[in-house]
Amino acid sequence: MTNQNSADIIAKFDQVYPVYSDFTKVIENLLKGILQLKGISIHSITSRVKSRESLKRKVNREDDKYTKLEAITDLAGIRIITYFADQVDLIASFVEEEFEVDRSNSVDKRELIDPEKFGYLSLHYVVKLPSFRLQLIEYQRFKDCKVEIQIRSILQHTWAEIEHDLGYKNKHAVPREIRRSFSRLAGLLELADEEFIKIRSNLATYEAEVEAQIEKTPTMVLINQASLKSYVLKSQHICRLDQKISHIVNADLELKDRFFGYLTTVFSYLGVKTIGELDEIVQDIGDDLLNFPQNGFKNKQGEKINWGTSLFYLAYAIVGRSGSPKQVADYLEHFKIEAPESRQELIQQIIAAYSSK
């Protein structure tokens, strides 16, 4: 390439840079919207426009490969990082549905891994907006723009980032005695991706079956996040108590899985191991857990409360029934409930509400 060709490409890039900057943001937002509509949760999506210095290095490095700016397909770039490896192909199918794919410049680099498994690569698409989008006036200025979309799992991304930092891009560049370590590690990451998919599938199966297990043999169902969530949503008693508390604090109810995760630590601390044991306590204490003074049911203005909140106060009733201020204090300290200086009042409220029950 002549210096003049390089200079012409850089000069044109300077002119169209604002368009590509807007184009990149538009594509990123489109992809975010598509994934949200499809119900796909991902780790991250990021975008960038190639820097002037990076473009200059590219056009000067490749002799006669690029004679015009339009031939360079990675001026705009989007990277989608998924949690699971099987989401890569799922998202790829959405990309093919929603964009016009440049097949000649797109590549599934995962298929380039040699039998020695040196490398752990991602899927690269080069796309542009399809005709049905270009008919919209706000997209018409992007008709000549292309974007490279990289899709990889978080473990594939980990490999790529560390490999890049080490500075060794192919097996021939790596010292022979270290090459085997690269291969072993790539195999381990590939296996880890597969195992995470299996774990997700097994959890989904368990969540689908645990409701029937609770109805059939609740004393055999150990308390965990999934079983506790299923119990709370199916128990009319718990639902009624939650609704009463939501009325007291004037807050709507919402469903958050991480709250059930927190409750599992509470009941583990209290020695309540199964759903059957928990249900016995609920039936025994019942509406008495609402004996807690109404000013003790706290919630920040405008915030929602979680389904299962009644079980949080059930724990108060369990420790309060002991009549031991020390047991109550130990419980509050363990879970960092209230600041130490204001705990004494809460201890007195709990003992007064439940110790005689």
Side-chain angles (χ1 to χ4, degrees):
M1 177 187 296
T2 66
N3 289 335
Q4 186 58 49
N5 280 341
S6 174
D8 290 344
I9 289 175
I10 300 299
K12 186 168 184 181
F13 176 70
D14 289 340
Q15 293 176 358
V16 300
Y17 182 89
V19 174
Y20 267 93
S21 180
D22 291 345
F23 173 65
T24 306
K25 292 173 185 174
V26 164
I27 299 298
E28 180 182 354
N29 288 331
L30 272 175
L31 286 166
K32 285 179 178 177
I34 291 166
L35 295 176
Q36 185 175 14
L37 285 172
K38 300 290 187 179
I40 305 299
S41 174
I42 60 169
H43 176 264
S44 64
I45 178 168
T46 56
S47 63
R48 62 102 183 108
V49 181
K50 186 177 285 295
S51 70
R52 194 175 193 273
E53 288 305 312
S54 177
L55 178 62
K56 189 180 293 186
R57 288 193 299 271
K58 186 181 186 78
V59 296
N60 286 327
R61 185 175 65 240
E62 307 287 352
D63 291 340
D64 296 326
K65 183 173 182 180
Y66 301 110
T67 58
K68 57 183 181 179
L69 185 69
E70 290 75 14
I72 301 173
T73 58
D74 65 345
L75 295 177
I78 305 283
R79 177 173 291 159
I80 302 172
I81 300 176
T82 69
Y83 287 111
F84 299 96
D86 61 351
Q87 291 177 315
V88 172
D89 288 319
L90 180 61
I91 293 173
S93 69
F94 302 151
V95 170
E96 296 205 14
E97 289 173 3
E98 299 292 338
F99 298 92
E100 184 178 322
V101 178
D102 179 349
R103 299 289 177 185
S104 62
N105 287 300
S106 300
V107 59
D108 187 347
K109 292 192 173 183
R110 297 169 300 175
E111 297 178 356
L112 302 180
I113 300 176
D114 65 24
E116 294 183 19
K117 291 187 179 294
F118 183 90
Y120 198 55
L121 304 170
S122 54
L123 176 59
H124 290 217
Y125 276 111
V126 173
V127 306
K128 62 181 183 178
L129 289 169
S131 57
F132 74 87
R133 291 196 189 277
L134 291 174
Q135 291 174 12
L136 302 174
I137 190 169
E138 62 266 32
Y139 292 143
Q140 289 176 3
R141 63 194 179 110
F142 304 133
K143 66 183 180 64
D144 296 322
C145 296
K146 292 184 177 181
V147 58
E148 182 183 72
I149 301 175
Q150 296 180 8
I151 315 169
R152 57 174 63 147
S153 75
I154 193 168
L155 291 182
Q156 290 168 337
H157 181 65
T158 299
W159 169 274
E161 291 296 291
I162 294 175
E163 182 186 53
H164 180 270
D165 187 63
L166 291 173
Y168 287 87
K169 287 297 186 90
N170 65 77
K171 70 177 183 179
H172 304 291
V174 178
R176 185 177 182 84
E177 57 270 26
I178 298 175
R179 199 177 301 166
R180 183 172 174 79
S181 294
F182 266 88
S183 299
R184 281 203 311 268
L185 182 57
L188 284 172
L189 288 174
E190 186 175 0
L191 179 62
D193 253 336
E194 292 173 358
E195 288 301 312
F196 276 124
I197 292 171
K198 288 180 183 177
I199 289 171
R200 182 192 61 190
S201 176
N202 291 338
L203 282 172
T205 299
Y206 176 82
E207 289 172 0
E209 295 174 349
V210 72
E211 180 182 323
Q213 293 176 16
I214 290 173
E215 288 200 15
K216 186 177 180 181
T217 54
T219 57
M220 300 296 291
V221 180
L222 295 174
I223 287 177
N224 54 52
Q225 181 170 303
S227 65
L228 201 54
K229 177 181 176 181
S230 180
Y231 170 69
V232 164
L233 294 181
K234 291 298 292 184
S235 169
Q236 293 182 357
H237 202 160
I238 293 296
C239 288
R240 181 168 53 81
L241 290 169
D242 283 345
Q243 288 167 351
K244 285 186 176 182
I245 294 172
S246 74
H247 178 72
I248 290 170
V249 300
N250 192 28
D252 293 332
L253 287 156
E254 65 178 350
L255 196 63
K256 286 188 177 179
D257 286 349
R258 65 176 179 269
F259 181 66
F260 297 111
Y262 165 76
L263 289 177
T264 63
T265 66
V266 168
F267 292 113
S268 175
Y269 176 89
L270 296 172
V272 183
K273 297 179 180 178
T274 71
I275 294 296
E277 293 174 35
L278 176 61
D279 190 56
E280 285 184 11
I281 296 170
V282 169
Q283 299 305 323
D284 179 35
I285 295 177
D287 285 5
D288 285 349
L289 71 82
L290 297 174
N291 290 337
F292 200 61
Q294 291 201 4
N295 62 4
F297 290 103
K298 295 182 179 179
N299 191 60
K300 292 181 180 179
Q301 185 69 29
E303 285 191 0
K304 296 180 179 180
I305 64 170
N306 298 286
W307 284 104
T309 291
S310 56
L311 295 180
F312 176 85
Y313 292 99
L314 181 73
Y316 280 179
I318 294 172
V319 295
R321 280 189 166 191
S322 70
S324 168
K326 184 179 185 310
Q327 285 191 31
V328 177
D330 288 346
Y331 172 79
L332 298 179
E333 167 61 25
H334 184 82
F335 290 101
K336 306 300 179 188
I337 299 172
E338 294 284 359
E341 60 271 15
S342 59
R343 253 177 222 154
Q344 193 56 45
E345 181 183 353
L346 180 56
I347 292 170
Q348 292 172 357
Q349 287 180 334
I350 292 171
I351 293 293
Y354 303 120
S355 63
S356 62
K357 302 301 176 184

